[in-house]
Amino acid sequence: QWYQRRVRSSGINAEYGEFQTFQHYFKRINLSMVMDVQAQFREMQEEAFYSMEGLSRLNPEKLDFYIEYLTFQVEHGFYDADANLNILKLYQFTPDLYTRSCIGNVHMVLVKALMQLPESDYVLCRAQLSQEMIDDPLTKKIDEVARLLETCQFPEFWSVIQEEKIFTETVGFVEAVRNFVCFVLKLTYKNVETEFLLQMLGPMETRLEDLALANGWVLKGDTVFVGDKEEMVEQKEIVEKMPIDVVSPILAIR
Amino acid sequence: MVWSTENNSTMYYQGAKSTNSSTEVAEPVANFLKWFYHFIEKNEIYHVETMYEDGFYKISEFYYKDKPWPSPEEVQAIVEERDSGSIFMILYRELYYRHIYAKLKPNLNHRFESFTNYCELFSYLLGSDEPVQIELPNKWLWDIIDEFVYQFQSFQQFRSKGTKMTEEEKGMLQDEENAWKVTAVLNILMQLTEKSNINEQLKALEAGQPITEEVAGEFGIKPVYAMTGFFSLVGLLRLYCLLGDYHMALACIRHVQFKDKDMMALVPACQITANYYAGFAFFMIRKYANTIQLYQHILGYMQRTKQFFQNRSFQAEDINKKNDQMLALLAIANTFCPLRLDESVNIQIKEKQGEKVARLQHGDMTVYDDLFFSGCPKFLSPVVSDNPTPFGTSGPRGLQLQVFKAEVEQQRLIPTLRSFLKLYTSIPISKLAKFLDMSENEVRCCLMAFKHKKEIARGDTVDQTTLDIDFYVDKDMIHISDTKIARHYGDYYVQQVLKLKDSNKLIMGSALSRPGPQQSA
């Protein structure tokens, strides 16, 4: 429908089968659709920012906008922590707004927050939920996934998320978690076995070589060199320092 | 007319013999009120401060230990004030209700009237076109904000009594829907911060620039507004923590620096409250290093200034309570993120929480609940339902406990791991797996979790005096480092030398004044 508008406004009559021009315009439309999404996000971001100034963030009439904004984030892979947390806050302050169907929004907020690991966004969201929201089975599932991620049990994680649509349908979720896995691996390992590494990274579409290049790793056959860690484990000894003003009272004693 | 401190004490205790009737206001009290009125009208802030801090407390202790101060109408007659809405009357009513809340039980009428009074007070500050002329001592301004949030907390707790309320009370609540609404309270605090441009001022302070009228605005340049704005920030911090919104809580104090020479340090009670709630917010989002840093600093400060608080009524027991709460939370935080603590703090923890800490180290899970409950603030829910269960698992406290328990569960294996790793400088994963009775893969996941948690707990702190071990994994070998702390005897040595010097002086002094058998040094 959007594309039809564009064609009409550019004055080209596609019905007459001018195939090449049509292809050319289709390419142009694709590009502007992508750019449009960025611009759209920026617009919504600004609107959200201004409507959350001071006390107006508690205005329940804006809730529909925030939910629209959230759906946009889920579909196109953007993120705005403040606005999403505000949805939960509105549910907390005006429980009348919260109906059965709203649990879907809550789940979307939680999954988007999980993508921010290792940041603590998920904990912030979790602290704002009501008991009713917590008791929902999908919330419990998301909680379980969060626990798996926080305790770094990645092989189990990859199998569990296949059970629920929400994880595979949220744009960018899998990539975000993979980034987190790489981050933790970088913290822990100097050399890691390739087999183990692949287990941790789950079923990937990109090749391991590309990922290694992006992260600055070196593939060495059956191990991957992640980074030098020697300086981390030098024996540290905390020696006491005595500043002069602490010692001077003694020096003054005859 | 000179108001001296000798006058103070004689005036209070003079009329002790003549207070027989409870309706008559004793003469010293009447005098006190007249002087108070005079100083407030004349804006003599130094005297107002003395009267507020000393006088009010002493008279309360002596005359009004278990009954309220004279009603506002009586006082109005005494000081011959015609306007019942004048600033003195508003301030007096604030003190009157605060006394009732502190010493007696407020009934529902009191709560509503107090709320109306606060609204009047804040509209006096916020409503005028030009900055108001009155100046109040900082301590009073802080107490006003603190009490405002406290009375809101008390009201929410009262409402959540649910079925224990009488029918009459329920009826009154329905009539007065607007009293103590959470949005109203938030609104007032937010407006106070905006009016004084306090965030801009704090940003300028951070950057080391002086505060000019350009930065602070017409209102913010006056100390009354600037300080009220600052205290409202702390009030907002507290309120958001009570509602479980740590994101907004930390956003409020984004520009506040917790240093000794800050605006906060002007009122010690404010400093303690701000540090406690900020540390708690960091604790809930798992940045334990920040919490430990803040709590250590403030606990040390409280130790050093303990004697100043002994004689202040409104705060003494509150401060002790906060002290204990911080110790409980510090004990938990230290288990999750071992950092080096100051000796004095260590001693306090051992004294008060010694056995609990031992149980924590052994991995006893129930202790976490106890410590959390004793350390956490009294959470609130912004809306009170008809059948509330404030202390049940779905009440506000229960919800926050669930969040905390999730973290405890995630950290379950880490202390055991830590204790094993401490024993080695390098150990193969297979060996560690045998010790821990887990599969190798599970051990690897556990190691990664350890690193991940450590990284989060570090938060925004820079200082790295950590007692924790660090390690990295090379294929299937774990290499571990440990921080050794050389024995710090320097401080102790200096202290003992000074002690000896003092006792020497004492003995020499007494030897000169009283010749006789001398004690050996």
Side-chain angles (χ1 to χ4, degrees):
Chain A
Q1 180 209 18
W2 187 94
Y3 136 71
Q4 275 170 348
R5 259 189 292 146
R6 185 94 181 130
V7 167
R8 249 182 274 128
S9 66
S10 57
I12 297 290
N13 205 342
E15 275 178 42
Y16 285 95
E18 299 201 20
F19 184 65
Q20 272 180 307
T21 351
F22 171 58
Q23 243 195 348
H24 166 72
Y25 271 97
F26 191 75
K27 272 205 200 119
R28 248 182 65 184
I29 289 167
N30 249 349
L31 195 62
S32 19
M33 258 171 84
V34 167
M35 279 184 58
D36 205 44
V37 160
Q38 279 272 10
Q40 249 186 310
F41 174 68
R42 262 194 292 271
E43 246 180 63
M44 291 181 116
Q45 198 181 31
E46 239 183 271
E47 193 182 333
F49 180 73
Y50 284 118
S51 66
M52 288 198 289
E53 260 187 72
L55 199 66
S56 53
R57 56 166 57 224
L58 291 177
N59 181 4
E61 289 169 27
K62 273 294 216 176
L63 180 63
D64 290 326
F65 164 70
Y66 292 127
I67 294 182
E68 196 190 311
Y69 188 26
L70 171 69
T71 336
F72 184 85
Q73 289 175 50
V74 169
E75 282 172 15
H76 299 278
F78 294 104
Y79 185 62
D80 187 337
D82 219 0
N84 294 352
L85 279 170
N86 204 36
I87 298 181
L88 293 180
K89 202 175 175 66
L90 280 169
Y91 285 146
Q92 198 191 19
F93 273 65
T94 25
D96 298 334
L97 287 175
Y98 180 74
T99 58
R100 289 241 129 172
S101 52
C102 294
I103 191 75
N105 300 328
V106 173
H107 292 143
M108 280 198 280
V109 173
L110 289 175
V111 172
K112 285 302 275 186
L114 266 185
M115 284 165 62
Q116 298 304 308
L117 277 171
E119 297 293 319
S120 338
D121 286 31
Y122 183 75
V123 184
L124 287 172
C125 293
R126 191 61 182 67
Q128 300 255 66
L129 299 183
S130 73
Q131 189 61 42
E132 197 187 328
M133 295 181 202
I134 296 175
D135 285 335
D136 179 87
L138 187 51
T139 314
K140 289 206 169 111
K141 219 36 190 298
I142 299 179
D143 236 356
E144 176 66 20
V145 166
R147 187 188 70 83
L148 288 173
L149 284 176
E150 290 269 8
T151 48
C152 298
Q153 292 177 27
F154 298 122
E156 214 181 310
F157 162 77
W158 291 114
S159 55
V160 167
I161 59 165
Q162 301 303 328
E163 298 171 18
E164 292 291 340
K165 284 190 305 177
I166 191 169
F167 300 113
T168 41
E169 282 181 2
T170 310
V171 169
F173 180 74
V174 172
E175 285 75 22
V177 174
R178 205 160 276 140
N179 273 338
F180 172 60
V181 176
C182 294
F183 172 74
V184 177
L185 285 169
K186 189 145 181 271
L187 277 182
T188 322
Y189 282 93
K190 182 179 171 194
N191 284 310
V192 59
E193 295 93 328
T194 316
E195 195 191 318
F196 179 70
L197 180 64
L198 288 171
Q199 242 190 341
M200 295 291 121
L201 290 173
M204 278 202 300
E205 284 166 5
T206 55
R207 302 178 311 151
L208 182 60
E209 289 81 3
D210 297 330
L211 192 68
L213 200 64
N215 279 309
W217 299 342
V218 179
L219 292 169
K220 284 192 205 159
D222 66 337
T223 60
V224 176
F225 174 71
V226 171
D228 255 328
K229 296 278 181 307
E230 264 78 25
E231 65 287 345
M232 203 190 281
V233 293
E234 283 165 6
Q235 286 280 358
K236 289 176 244 176
E237 186 161 332
I238 301 184
V239 180
E240 186 181 11
K241 294 197 194 71
M242 309 255 343
I244 190 71
D245 45 320
V246 176
V247 181
S248 52
I250 314 186
L251 296 175
I253 296 176
R254 313 169 134 273
Chain B
M1 298 191 229
V2 177
W3 180 261
S4 63
T5 34
E6 299 94 64
N7 258 347
N8 259 348
S9 30
T10 44
M11 291 221 129
Y12 298 152
Y13 304 120
Q14 216 171 33
K17 27 193 193 292
S18 62
T19 38
N20 279 326
S21 64
S22 52
T23 49
E24 219 177 78
V25 177
E27 199 186 311
V29 181
N31 275 325
F32 170 81
L33 289 167
K34 287 197 195 138
W35 278 104
F36 205 22
Y37 174 66
H38 170 84
F39 286 128
I40 288 186
E41 290 292 316
K42 291 275 185 299
N43 244 352
E44 297 198 14
I45 189 170
Y46 174 68
H47 294 298
V48 171
E49 189 164 354
T50 340
M51 296 195 78
Y52 171 74
E53 281 197 30
D54 259 334
F56 190 81
Y57 169 60
K58 285 207 180 94
I59 294 193
S60 296
E61 276 299 291
F62 197 73
Y63 287 102
Y64 296 112
K65 215 167 186 142
D66 50 6
K67 60 180 185 184
W69 273 64
S71 74
E73 292 75 27
E74 288 179 350
V75 171
Q76 198 173 346
I78 294 177
V79 301
E80 288 157 29
E81 164 68 61
R82 268 161 294 144
D83 178 14
S84 78
S86 79
I87 187 64
F88 173 75
M89 288 315 299
I90 299 180
L91 290 170
Y92 176 74
R93 278 197 283 269
E94 196 266 318
L95 292 172
Y96 171 72
Y97 289 116
R98 202 191 314 167
H99 179 80
I100 293 184
Y101 268 84
K103 300 285 189 208
L104 316 157
K105 259 179 84 68
N107 65 30
L108 206 50
N109 263 325
H110 288 143
R111 293 180 196 269
F112 291 146
E113 285 165 22
S114 179
F115 181 69
T116 325
N117 192 40
Y118 275 118
C119 288
E120 271 183 38
L121 174 61
F122 292 126
S123 43
Y124 175 78
L125 280 177
L126 293 168
S128 54
D129 294 323
E130 281 181 354
V132 294
Q133 290 308 315
I134 190 168
E135 283 182 17
L136 289 174
N138 289 333
K139 188 137 187 323
W140 197 346
L141 289 172
W142 163 249
D143 283 337
I144 291 178
I145 304 280
D146 198 30
E147 184 70 16
F148 183 51
V149 180
Y150 170 71
Q151 289 191 7
F152 170 69
Q153 202 179 349
S154 169
F155 184 74
Q156 291 292 83
Q157 284 167 346
F158 170 77
R159 279 191 59 191
S160 61
K161 270 192 331 184
T163 47
K164 296 199 198 129
M165 279 196 281
T166 65
E167 284 307 313
E168 187 194 328
E169 289 176 329
K170 284 191 193 165
M172 281 168 73
L173 274 177
Q174 274 178 337
D175 289 335
E176 290 273 352
E177 266 196 345
N178 286 325
W180 292 117
K181 258 189 118 157
V182 64
T183 40
V185 176
L186 279 174
N187 190 24
I188 290 178
L189 291 172
M190 281 193 214
Q191 280 198 4
L192 284 170
T193 52
E194 277 171 36
K195 193 91 175 179
S196 59
N197 270 348
I198 189 68
N199 274 320
E200 308 298 315
Q201 293 193 33
L202 287 171
K203 271 195 249 185
L205 274 174
E206 240 181 327
Q209 292 161 0
I211 312 259
T212 59
E213 185 150 343
E214 223 182 284
V215 170
E218 191 191 342
F219 286 87
I221 199 76
K222 298 216 81 197
V224 149
Y225 285 98
M227 295 316 291
T228 318
F230 184 80
F231 295 141
S232 309
L233 273 184
V234 181
L236 276 173
L237 164 70
R238 175 176 170 180
L239 196 52
Y240 281 130
C241 277
L242 292 174
L243 293 172
D245 190 354
Y246 309 111
H247 172 70
M248 288 304 297
L250 290 171
C252 281
I253 50 164
R254 201 170 31 219
H255 300 292
V256 175
Q257 296 164 306
F258 288 85
K259 289 202 247 184
D260 271 334
K261 305 242 183 326
D262 202 359
M263 277 178 150
M264 227 189 287
L266 293 169
V267 180
C270 173
Q271 199 171 16
I272 294 173
T273 312
N275 271 292
Y276 169 71
Y277 282 101
F280 185 74
F282 280 124
F283 180 85
M284 289 307 281
I285 61 171
R286 320 215 171 136
K287 294 198 171 154
Y288 301 114
N290 289 74
T291 308
I292 294 179
Q293 205 179 38
L294 284 172
Y295 280 176
Q296 261 211 114
H297 179 75
I298 195 69
L299 283 170
Y301 171 79
M302 282 163 77
Q303 274 261 313
R304 291 193 296 268
T305 54
K306 220 185 199 142
Q307 63 262 45
F308 295 135
F309 294 123
Q310 302 300 34
N311 50 355
R312 300 269 174 257
S313 74
F314 294 127
Q315 266 110 46
E317 45 173 275
D318 198 37
I319 287 179
N320 283 331
K321 182 149 191 283
K322 283 264 171 345
N323 197 333
D324 292 335
Q325 284 181 306
M326 287 199 265
L327 284 174
L329 292 174
L330 196 56
I332 304 180
N334 207 29
T335 330
F336 288 153
C337 172
L339 283 184
R340 184 157 155 257
L341 297 177
D342 272 347
E343 259 320 294
S344 56
V345 176
N346 246 335
I347 294 177
Q348 274 193 32
I349 291 192
K350 276 208 189 67
E351 246 174 51
K352 306 226 167 136
Q353 310 280 358
E355 72 154 277
K356 290 215 173 112
V357 172
R359 282 162 69 191
L360 275 181
Q361 302 284 13
H362 283 125
D364 183 353
M365 292 288 133
T366 54
V367 175
Y368 284 111
D369 281 12
D370 290 335
L371 282 175
F372 183 73
F373 278 144
S374 52
C376 71
K378 292 199 178 67
F379 293 109
L380 301 173
S381 153
V383 201
V384 185
S385 60
D386 293 317
N387 277 326
T389 48
F391 294 116
T393 34
S394 52
R397 193 175 76 158
L399 290 174
Q400 298 303 320
L401 178 67
Q402 286 183 36
V403 176
F404 174 66
K405 288 291 274 268
E407 168 72 355
V408 170
E409 180 58 34
Q410 288 164 12
Q411 294 253 3
R412 198 165 45 94
L413 294 168
I414 294 187
T416 345
L417 187 68
R418 189 181 283 131
S419 56
F420 273 112
L421 289 176
K422 247 184 154 65
L423 301 170
Y424 292 89
T425 42
S426 61
I427 175 175
I429 293 190
S430 46
K431 201 165 171 192
L432 187 60
K434 257 198 265 234
F435 282 146
L436 292 170
D437 204 16
M438 296 197 287
S439 77
E440 269 197 38
N441 261 355
E442 283 176 359
V443 170
R444 286 165 192 269
C445 293
C446 213
L447 291 169
M448 286 199 283
F450 182 100
K451 282 295 222 167
H452 162 58
K453 286 293 180 193
K454 186 161 177 228
E455 191 62 26
I456 291 191
R458 197 165 62 89
D460 318 311
T461 57
V462 177
D463 184 25
Q464 292 289 348
T465 46
T466 174
L467 272 186
D468 206 353
I469 58 168
D470 208 351
F471 66 87
Y472 72 88
V473 184
D474 192 359
K475 280 195 264 188
D476 60 343
M477 197 65 153
I478 313 173
H479 298 268
I480 304 149
S481 87
D482 201 354
T483 4
K484 273 207 199 16
I485 302 198
R487 279 201 62 153
H488 284 210
Y489 52 80
D491 256 341
Y492 186 71
Y493 179 64
V494 169
Q495 272 179 27
Q496 295 302 313
V497 169
L498 289 173
K499 247 197 213 163
L500 181 62
K501 173 181 165 205
D502 284 337
S503 44
N504 257 342
K505 219 193 267 178
L506 195 64
I507 292 167
M508 294 313 224
S510 65
L512 289 171
S513 58
R514 277 184 291 124
Q518 292 186 9
Q519 289 175 334
S520 50

